Amino acid sequence: MQILILLGCARTLSVLFEAVKIPAIVGEILAGILLGPTLLGRVSPSLQLWLFPVDQIQSTMLETVSWLGVFFLLLSSGFHVDIRTAIRSGRAAMLIGIVGVLFPILIGYPVFSTFDPIYWGDKANALSFALFLSVACSITAISVVARTLDDLEISKTPKGSLALSSCAINDIFGWFLFTLVISLVTPHTLSTVELIGSIIGIIGFVVLSSTFGAKLLSTALKRVEATSLTQPAAAQTLIISLGLLCGAITQWLGIHAILGFFLAGTIAGSAKGVSDDLRNSVSDTLHAIFVPLFFATLGLKIDFLAGMVLWPTVIFCTVAILGKFVGAWLGARLGKQSQQTSILMGVTFIPGGAMEIVVATLALELQLIGQAIFVAIVFAALASSILAGPLIGIQKRRMRLVHRNDN
């Protein structure tokens, strides 16, 4: 009953929001807010408690489905990352992607270090809290960027390709830093030597995945397609299994499984043997079931009205949005791009979208942040995703970008 109601409301609202050019994630989260303590819990506490009882078995089952949504969201987000194209984009894309991550971290850490300890999670300290927030505000949602550029019909222009390649580098570098930070600040019993070995191991796995992963997946797909197994179901199973395998490997290496799922998505995004139709079929299935459930369940965990605190929200929004904009703009200028192109790169880096919400959810689970900061990150992610489309559209018109033109 919980899944029926959550999925029905989330999908209905997401379709309605998409019809008016608002990202589906807004409707999915709103479904949870309406059904959670924020609204239904205030209007009819008994009904809300009946639907979502305080029961360990019930909550564990729903939490499991929710985490599948997290993992599969990272997998499908990786589909937008073509490592070969990103590498071929050269110096400019590298600078935009890397500076776009480092700049928000450099300006964010001293700002977030001034936050009152009342905003920390129970297991956080001054270092882990500020370090996590500074990395969280540097991650860009490439899925939002790709969708926006495609809707504006500029994804195939050289400037659009540069933006996507830069976002791909941003995502790979940003997610690696985030999972590394999580491994460093989470209490564990690893010695210094073991920790260094874990870091070397994950770097090696990232390099191997980026170098040989796409070729191995293409070969495996050819073998699967040559069998009598039903297609594309067998190919979909192979891609999902790749995500599970990579997630298990990164978890075993001491880094969170989310990085493994994202790497598996980048492998599928770069593999020549994986068609756009196959990637879309996998992504559509995941976004029809698991991803909406993840975002809807967020609203069940927190009272967003009670959790909203103005100044932390304003500060995080400002650092996240302006930090990524200036970082990407600066990277483009260092890459010898024009002023207008640099501004386009800046606005494409603004959306935090689902990616910022995922890192916030993980930090909340690890008790690195409190409810007020979680709400602030969710608000920043939604606001930046809504702003991105109009801002990119304005810059497109200023540059007179069209599908067949690079003026």
Side-chain angles (χ1 to χ4, degrees):
M1 182 64 73
Q2 290 173 349
I3 292 176
L4 171 65
I5 294 173
L6 283 171
L7 184 60
C9 291
R11 289 294 294 148
T12 300
L13 289 176
S14 66
V15 170
L16 292 175
F17 274 83
E18 282 191 310
V20 292
K21 303 298 181 181
I22 296 176
I25 184 178
V26 179
E28 292 165 352
I29 292 178
L30 181 59
I33 292 175
L34 295 176
L35 293 169
T38 307
L39 184 63
L40 185 59
R42 280 184 165 81
V43 176
S44 179
S46 58
L47 176 59
Q48 205 274 332
L49 190 62
W50 178 78
L51 282 173
F52 305 101
V54 183
D55 179 82
Q56 185 63 40
I57 295 177
Q58 289 282 337
S59 60
T60 299
M61 288 193 296
L62 193 57
E63 190 76 10
T64 300
V65 176
S66 175
W67 271 105
L68 285 174
V70 175
F71 293 141
F72 292 147
L73 173 63
L74 267 294
L75 177 69
S76 61
S77 294
F79 292 166
H80 298 284
V81 178
D82 188 329
I83 297 174
R84 295 169 304 168
T85 301
I87 293 174
R88 286 198 300 266
S89 297
R91 180 171 175 266
M94 289 288 181
L95 284 170
I96 296 168
I98 293 174
V99 176
V101 171
L102 294 179
F103 187 82
I105 294 175
L106 291 174
I107 66 170
Y109 185 83
V111 172
F112 299 132
S113 296
T114 65
F115 275 31
D116 193 291
I118 63 172
Y119 299 119
W120 300 358
D122 291 339
K123 295 183 179 179
N125 54 44
L127 173 64
S128 63
F129 177 79
L131 193 57
F132 162 75
L133 280 187
S134 58
V135 174
C137 72
S138 71
I139 294 177
T140 296
I142 190 172
S143 56
V144 175
V145 175
R147 176 69 179 270
T148 302
L149 294 179
D150 192 56
D151 288 345
L152 293 172
E153 299 182 342
I154 58 174
S155 60
K156 301 300 182 181
T157 66
K159 303 306 181 190
S161 297
L162 176 62
L164 286 173
S165 297
S166 302
C167 286
I169 294 168
N170 171 283
D171 268 24
I172 294 172
F173 186 50
W175 275 106
F176 175 75
L177 285 181
F178 170 70
T179 50
L180 190 59
V181 166
I182 290 296
S183 69
L184 291 173
V185 303
T186 303
H188 48 64
T189 57
L190 292 178
S191 66
T192 302
V193 174
E194 290 172 327
L195 183 58
I196 293 174
S198 178
I199 293 172
I200 293 173
I202 196 63
I203 291 174
F205 181 63
V206 171
V207 172
L208 288 174
S209 299
S210 303
T211 307
F212 302 108
K215 293 179 181 178
L216 291 174
L217 178 58
S218 295
T219 301
L221 275 174
K222 288 180 181 179
R223 296 288 183 89
V224 169
E225 290 170 354
T227 67
S228 59
L229 296 172
T230 305
Q231 299 296 339
Q236 292 175 338
T237 301
L238 180 62
I239 292 176
I240 298 295
S241 299
L242 176 65
L244 295 166
L245 175 62
C246 290
I249 291 173
T250 54
Q251 189 76 31
W252 175 70
L253 288 170
I255 306 292
H256 202 279
I258 57 174
L259 179 63
F261 277 85
F262 180 73
L263 286 175
T266 65
I267 291 172
S270 304
K272 292 182 179 179
V274 181
S275 67
D276 288 339
D277 288 341
L278 177 56
R279 279 190 286 264
N280 290 337
S281 67
V282 174
S283 183
D284 289 346
T285 300
L286 299 179
H287 279 78
I289 303 171
F290 294 102
V291 175
L293 283 172
F294 161 61
F295 288 120
T297 55
L298 294 181
L300 302 180
K301 300 177 181 179
I302 288 179
D303 186 333
F304 277 72
L305 291 179
M308 172 71 77
V309 181
L310 180 60
W311 284 114
T313 303
V314 171
I315 292 171
F316 185 86
C317 287
T318 302
V319 173
I321 293 175
L322 291 183
K324 283 183 287 191
F325 173 84
V326 175
W329 174 86
L330 180 60
R333 296 300 286 168
L334 291 173
K336 298 182 179 179
Q337 299 296 307
S338 68
Q339 175 72 351
Q340 293 301 321
T341 299
S342 299
I343 293 174
L344 178 64
M345 297 303 109
V347 294
T348 56
F349 266 53
I350 284 176
M355 299 299 99
E356 279 186 349
I357 295 173
V358 168
V359 300
T361 303
L362 185 57
L364 190 67
E365 293 285 338
L366 296 173
Q367 299 181 47
L368 292 177
I369 60 174
Q371 290 192 5
I373 299 300
F374 177 80
V375 174
I377 297 175
V378 171
F379 183 85
L382 297 180
S384 61
S385 299
I386 293 171
L387 282 172
L391 291 177
I392 295 173
I394 290 171
Q395 189 60 16
K396 170 200 172 183
R397 291 190 291 273
R398 290 181 65 185
M399 297 178 70
R400 296 184 177 88
L401 283 176
V402 295
H403 180 75
R404 300 177 301 279
N405 199 359
D406 185 32
N407 293 326

